[in-house]
Amino acid sequence: MKTFCGRANPTTGAMEWLEEDEDYDYHQEIARSRYADMLHDKDRNVKYYQGIRAAVSRVKERGEKAIVLDIGTGTGLLSMMAASAGADFCYAVEVFKPMANAAVKIVEKNGFRDKIKVINKHSTEVTVGPDGDMQCRANILVTELFDTELIGEGALPTYEHAHKYLVQEGCEAVPHRATVYVQLVESKRMWSWNKLFPVHVEAEGGEKIIVSPSEMENCPGVPSVCDIQLNQMPSSDFTVLSDVVTMFSVDFSKAVRSASTSYRVQLEPVRSGKAQIVLSWWDIDMDPCGTINCTMAPYWVKPTSALQWRDHWMQCVYFLPNEEPVVQGEKVHLTACRDQYSVWYKLQKARGEEENKAAVCVENPVCRCQAHLLWNRPRFGQLNDQNRTRQYVKSLMKVLKTDSVCLCISDGSLLPVLAHYLGAKQVFTLENSAVSRSVMEKFFKANHLEDKIKIIEARPELLTSSHLEDKKISVLVGEPFFTTSLLPWHNLYFWYARTAVTSHLTSDVTVLPQSASLHMMIVEFQDLWRIRSPCGTCEGFDVQTMDDMIKNSLNFRESKEAEPHPLWEYPCKSLSDPQEVLTFDFRDTVPEHSLSTEGSVKLLRKGKSHGAVLWMEYHLAADISVNTGLMQISNEKGNCEWNPHCKQAVYFFSSVIESETLSDLPSAVTYAINFNTKTGEIAMDFKLL
């Protein structure tokens, strides 16, 4: 059966109805899942196996049968570990049907059909009793329900229910406990992901400063956790203000409460500074004594030799509601509040004993200024990048004249303010949503520009002369940045918008950027390849069925697609030089015909060709451009530095090719890239020679 799915095309802006197979959603879910990453997580798998063996032994030593409940079984891996450790029977619960079906096949293939029953239900719907899903309550509870924040996938309510209805009192639990750790830091870089700093503009009449509305200054931001690969954050980008302390822990072998609560610790700052950020991570003890421990601690907390790369569990960055000055040795209180699914923090000066007894549960932070709804964290970082702003200022100074009538097309951009300060006679800005309009209104008001810049809330194709007060546009500008863009070339929407407003432009209009180019490079990833790499066997169990299922879902669409990743978090080395593959000339309208290119790129270094990375560069004006991808290749080994504010596109090659020595093949990669101007999509194909 086919279904029609409506979507706004991120590149062309057109509303489209696509005919999708009814399984499309689930294929997307599997193709982009983290199952492969978990199966490659050796540290996690070994520790779980050790913990499960120990738990089964403890139950057997008491002379009891070992009955295991495995919630969120996925591939069935943990149940198979339990069965091979001597468990008498395992109930493996999995709510996602395609996954449950795969688990049945995997369990059967590994010979555990008589020992493991896969139950395709949410654990809260599982019944116990002679006619139930489970014959009796289990005495070993095994789960892997954790995300980077520990509780974001609903671990607490699931455990709470399991203890009430599905397991015996005093059961063994693997993991036995989880502990959440925190550290207070100052970091201009991380703080720039949540607050907008004043923007300095050198204009003709002296320096101008663009400030944020006070509402934005005091806004706590959005409640969702910022999870990143903290191991890629250089120590020069933050200052440690406190030791690492335990914030709270959860014992999974006893009844768990999921109701909202708060925890408080006293911290003694190890140096003075501005407390802005709480860094947090967790570890799990697989056994009651804590001898089998699996930790997410970052590089400065534990020896690097112990680092296990993983992408399904990272580290958390929490933004304090406001910057708080702390003084070395002067104690402060850090409060963690949590509901069933999320955690947030508040810092207070330590005061008298009485007041300190009542831990305050602060409200879950909610963005009231709307800017955090319009701009995600990398976008805040981008707007705070003074070097990037300088490029736009330099190019605007080149093109603006005293009689310029300027139209800006980008979502929630500061370009209209720059254009006004740099001398444009009149500035219009096109905002495509009520949120971006509202945020820009507040911005202009805070900078006393509400009567200087006119906001038009309309789609480009619906722009009329009356919107523009019957004026023709002589300078059309864009960053370009659009909130709907996921892949680098989605911002080519600017070209489609430019085409739609052609009738409102003067014949000698200046378009900034004047053009864009798509660049490509072949790379070897240090670790990111694991998320798409088949596993084969995991701790001695055959999980090929899962590999086939992921491969089938990736091949579900005729063409493989590139996927967005913030590569500053995922080290890689270049195996080829970067190459410009397509150019898009914004001075002309979008052509009717497709743009395509073929060529080959030479491999200069030995390594595994895991895939191609693609990014855009925008040519603002003569010799001034803004790059969204490769900043530099930092050494002869080919290590790459990437633009930290943008996601780059990664196209994984289906077969990972090793070229251990340069005389071996492959010596080059051929590519064919086609930009379909009707659909705005880029199709690509690579072959290794």
Side-chain angles (χ1 to χ4, degrees):
M1 199 177 101
K2 301 274 187 187
T3 39
F4 279 101
C5 301
R7 68 153 197 171
N9 183 310
T11 315
T12 65
M15 189 62 193
E16 300 172 333
W17 289 94
L18 303 176
E19 195 182 30
E20 296 288 13
D21 192 290
E22 62 176 342
D23 292 336
Y24 173 69
D25 270 356
Y26 112 66
H27 281 297
Q28 283 290 324
E29 173 96 9
I30 291 167
R32 301 285 174 251
S33 70
R34 288 285 181 254
Y35 289 116
D37 175 35
M38 293 183 215
L39 295 173
H40 281 293
D41 188 341
K42 181 84 181 148
D43 178 62
R44 160 196 181 265
N45 301 334
V46 167
K47 304 274 172 68
Y48 260 101
Y49 211 167
Q50 290 172 344
I52 288 167
R53 282 197 194 102
V56 171
S57 300
R58 289 195 299 276
V59 169
K60 295 276 188 186
E61 277 162 17
R62 299 199 290 262
E64 297 172 26
K65 276 190 166 183
I67 308 296
V68 175
L69 170 61
D70 170 11
I71 300 179
T73 194
T75 55
L77 179 68
L78 303 183
S79 287
M80 295 191 295
M81 288 177 175
S84 45
D88 296 277
F89 200 78
C90 303
Y91 295 102
V93 179
E94 175 56 55
V95 70
F96 185 39
K97 190 163 179 47
M99 205 60 242
N101 295 344
V104 170
K105 289 180 191 157
I106 292 169
V107 163
E108 204 156 304
K109 199 171 178 183
N110 286 278
F112 294 110
R113 190 178 171 177
D114 303 335
K115 290 268 184 191
I116 299 172
K117 177 185 178 183
V118 177
I119 302 168
N120 178 208
K121 281 186 174 180
H122 198 286
S123 65
T124 55
E125 290 167 358
V126 169
T127 54
V128 180
D131 305 323
D133 301 308
M134 297 168 65
Q135 288 290 296
C136 60
R137 287 184 175 229
N139 54 8
I140 301 177
L141 176 57
V142 178
T143 71
E144 204 279 59
L145 299 167
F146 314 116
D147 66 348
T148 295
E149 201 173 16
L150 186 70
I151 64 171
E153 286 178 10
L156 297 177
T158 303
Y159 270 110
E160 184 171 40
H161 176 272
H163 276 288
K164 275 184 188 160
Y165 303 106
L166 306 176
V167 297
Q168 298 173 17
E169 201 174 325
C171 71
E172 299 289 341
V174 181
H176 180 80
R177 83 176 66 79
T179 307
V180 172
Y181 301 91
V182 294
Q183 188 168 31
L184 206 55
V185 303
E186 173 177 346
S187 168
K188 187 178 179 185
R189 178 177 174 187
M190 290 185 257
W191 195 237
S192 80
W193 299 342
N194 196 49
K195 298 279 181 200
L196 196 68
F197 304 155
V199 179
H200 297 263
V201 186
E202 294 296 337
E204 295 264 302
E207 190 188 53
K208 297 271 199 267
I209 299 175
I210 307 174
V211 296
S212 299
S214 58
E215 195 182 351
M216 196 185 295
E217 292 280 302
N218 303 318
C219 183
V222 283
S224 60
V225 66
C226 174
D227 53 342
I228 60 166
Q229 292 282 1
L230 211 42
N231 289 317
Q232 296 310 315
M233 180 69 67
S235 54
S236 55
D237 279 349
F238 61 94
T239 304
V240 164
L241 299 179
S242 80
D243 291 331
V244 176
V245 298
T246 299
M247 195 71 225
F248 64 92
S249 63
V250 185
D251 182 337
F252 296 124
S253 68
K254 299 187 172 79
V256 170
R257 289 193 45 161
S258 68
S260 298
T261 186
S262 64
Y263 311 90
R264 196 170 62 177
V265 293
Q266 187 165 277
L267 294 177
E268 190 169 316
V270 294
R271 59 167 69 77
S272 301
K274 290 180 285 199
Q276 298 165 325
I277 306 285
V278 175
L279 298 179
S280 177
W281 56 89
W282 50 262
D283 67 16
I284 41 180
D285 289 324
M286 297 297 184
D287 61 326
C289 336
T291 47
I292 309 164
N293 177 273
C294 182
T295 178
M296 305 312 124
Y299 66 87
W300 64 91
V301 178
K302 61 172 185 177
T304 336
S305 57
L307 282 184
Q308 158 79 45
W309 185 86
R310 43 173 75 93
D311 206 43
H312 56 109
W313 297 329
M314 295 186 269
Q315 294 79 27
C316 300
V317 174
Y318 294 98
F319 305 96
L320 287 170
N322 296 97
E323 203 171 68
E324 304 281 354
V326 295
V327 178
Q328 183 176 345
E330 277 188 22
K331 295 188 175 106
V332 289
H333 284 138
L334 182 66
T335 304
C337 303
R338 68 150 182 83
D339 54 22
Q340 291 190 342
Y341 300 100
S342 59
V343 185
W344 59 98
Y345 288 87
K346 187 174 171 125
L347 191 71
Q348 288 156 313
K349 294 272 187 295
R351 296 198 187 90
E353 267 316 292
E354 268 322 291
E355 186 227 16
N356 285 347
K357 280 184 186 150
V360 264
C361 204
V362 224
E363 272 179 36
N364 193 341
V366 175
C367 168
R368 295 196 175 84
C369 76
Q370 294 186 300
H372 299 89
L373 308 177
L374 176 64
W375 299 323
N376 61 14
R377 287 153 184 150
R379 173 63 171 165
F380 267 95
Q382 188 175 55
L383 291 170
N384 281 320
D385 183 340
Q386 289 278 7
N387 290 332
R388 180 176 180 273
T389 303
R390 220 165 282 135
Q391 301 297 82
Y392 288 99
V393 169
K394 272 194 330 204
S395 51
L396 281 168
M397 284 170 98
K398 283 190 175 196
V399 304
L400 289 175
K401 302 187 179 77
T402 48
D403 61 350
S404 293
V405 178
C406 190
L407 172 65
C408 174
I409 304 181
S410 274
D411 290 350
S413 171
L414 300 183
L415 285 184
V417 183
L418 297 182
H420 171 74
Y421 283 155
L422 296 170
K425 183 181 175 187
Q426 189 159 11
V427 182
F428 297 96
T429 179
L430 209 53
E431 298 297 339
N432 76 355
S433 71
V435 172
S436 64
R437 179 188 185 126
S438 163
V439 170
M440 295 325 288
E441 273 172 354
K442 291 173 192 170
F443 242 97
F444 299 160
K445 202 166 176 194
N447 291 279
H448 312 293
L449 300 173
E450 60 267 50
D451 52 346
K452 303 282 196 296
I453 300 170
K454 184 180 172 190
I455 302 175
I456 303 164
E457 191 189 329
R459 295 181 56 80
E461 64 275 18
L462 302 176
L463 189 67
T464 62
S465 302
S466 61
H467 281 130
L468 299 171
E469 297 162 10
D470 294 325
K471 295 192 174 65
K472 290 278 189 200
I473 300 301
S474 60
V475 179
L476 178 68
V477 298
E479 298 187 32
F481 169 86
F482 301 100
T483 51
T484 47
S485 299
L486 296 171
L487 289 161
W489 46 89
H490 288 166
N491 283 322
L492 285 173
Y493 174 62
F494 177 74
W495 200 12
Y496 289 84
R498 176 256 178 269
T499 303
V501 302
T502 302
S503 64
H504 302 290
L505 309 177
T506 59
S507 55
D508 60 347
V509 66
T510 302
V511 182
L512 184 156
Q514 57 190 24
S515 65
S517 49
L518 178 68
H519 296 250
M520 184 259 310
M521 186 169 74
I522 310 301
V523 302
E524 173 182 52
F525 284 107
Q526 190 177 301
D527 296 295
L528 189 64
W529 59 271
R530 297 173 202 273
I531 68 169
R532 296 288 165 261
S533 171
C535 199
T537 62
C538 182
E539 298 310 305
F541 302 102
D542 181 339
V543 291
Q544 175 99 41
T545 305
M546 187 69 218
D547 294 339
D548 296 344
M549 187 168 155
I550 292 174
K551 190 164 183 250
N552 176 37
S553 286
L554 283 168
N555 295 339
F556 181 70
R557 276 267 170 89
E558 288 76 309
S559 67
K560 276 186 55 186
E561 293 170 356
E563 43 190 272
H565 291 283
L567 292 186
W568 74 267
E569 293 184 61
Y570 303 103
C572 63
K573 69 173 191 180
S574 68
L575 300 184
S576 75
D577 278 335
Q579 194 146 323
E580 182 180 295
V581 288
L582 277 180
T583 55
F584 313 91
D585 190 344
F586 298 157
R587 289 167 297 194
D588 291 324
T589 55
V590 177
E592 290 290 306
H593 59 84
S594 290
L595 304 178
S596 54
T597 180
E598 299 188 345
S600 74
V601 54
K602 257 171 57 184
L603 297 183
L604 309 171
R605 293 184 184 83
K606 54 185 186 179
K608 300 182 184 181
S609 300
H610 287 135
V613 177
L614 299 102
W615 65 93
M616 299 290 286
E617 195 165 316
Y618 296 99
H619 309 285
L620 303 181
D623 309 325
I624 304 174
S625 55
V626 171
N627 183 346
T628 67
L630 184 70
M631 305 311 280
Q632 63 167 346
I633 295 174
S634 52
N635 55 21
E636 62 289 348
K637 286 186 187 152
N639 295 344
C640 303
E641 282 179 34
W642 299 95
N643 183 321
H645 314 307
C646 302
K647 286 183 178 180
Q648 291 74 36
V650 178
Y651 184 99
F652 287 104
F653 297 154
S654 38
S655 51
V656 170
I657 310 297
E658 294 187 35
S659 52
E660 288 309 330
T661 65
L662 273 182
S663 56
D664 286 359
L665 294 175
S667 56
V669 175
T670 62
Y671 59 84
I673 295 174
N674 180 64
F675 177 64
N676 181 331
T677 55
K678 300 270 185 293
T679 64
E681 284 176 7
I682 290 187
M684 50 193 99
D685 189 36
F686 296 90
K687 288 192 175 61
L688 294 113
L689 293 181

